Amino acid sequence: HVQLVESGGGPVQAGGSLRLSCAASGDTANTASRCMGWYRQAPGKPREGVARIATRSGTTLYADSVKGRFTIGQYIANNTMYLIMNSLKPEDTAVYYCAATSKSEPSLLPSQFQAWGRGTQVTVS
């Protein structure tokens, strides 16, 4: 069982940048977090995948809407994942969630992930 806590959200002007972090604890050295990802959910919209990273290989997958603007990464030594968001747009406004899965190379479908953080609000105006 893995616990996830997000941080780093807040208000930002369009064109600006934010860095989100996700601290993982619990069963991080085992199968519960072979891959970690970022998701977001805007009011009235379904949760959508933003990016994910395989913790062992470091391979990444991005949603088309954020390619070239967002960068996902990890600090394996302290079980932390981050999301650097540049050139932010108002349509990036959402609650951003950290997620973990026992799958090695999942798609960005939310159903592929089992553990979820509580989310952090990002508001772009």
Side-chain angles (χ1 to χ4, degrees):
H1 186 66
V2 60
Q3 293 81 44
L4 305 170
V5 179
E6 305 94 339
S7 61
V12 62
Q13 291 188 338
S17 299
L18 274 178
R19 181 187 179 107
L20 304 182
S21 293
C22 173
S25 60
D27 193 15
T28 56
N30 212 322
T31 62
S33 55
R34 283 181 174 157
C35 189
M36 297 185 71
W38 287 100
Y39 287 77
R40 65 187 182 186
Q41 188 166 18
K45 294 187 177 181
R47 189 169 297 188
E48 64 171 352
V50 174
R52 64 95 168 133
I53 183 166
T55 53
R56 293 185 180 183
S57 66
T59 56
T60 57
L61 179 66
Y62 292 91
D64 289 343
S65 59
V66 306
K67 280 181 182 177
R69 300 189 298 125
F70 290 11
T71 301
I72 189 172
Q74 59 181 350
Y75 297 115
I76 297 176
N78 60 359
N79 296 318
T80 301
M81 177 182 64
Y82 59 84
L83 183 71
I84 299 172
M85 304 185 293
N86 295 321
S87 302
L88 283 162
K89 306 174 182 179
E91 51 263 44
D92 294 318
T93 295
V95 177
Y96 283 70
Y97 297 91
C98 172
T101 179
S102 58
K103 300 181 184 294
S104 299
E105 299 275 349
S107 71
L108 285 174
L109 287 173
S111 59
Q112 299 280 297
F113 286 72
Q114 296 89 40
W116 295 85
R118 293 189 175 185
T120 184
Q121 177 71 46
V122 172
T123 303
V124 185
S125 60

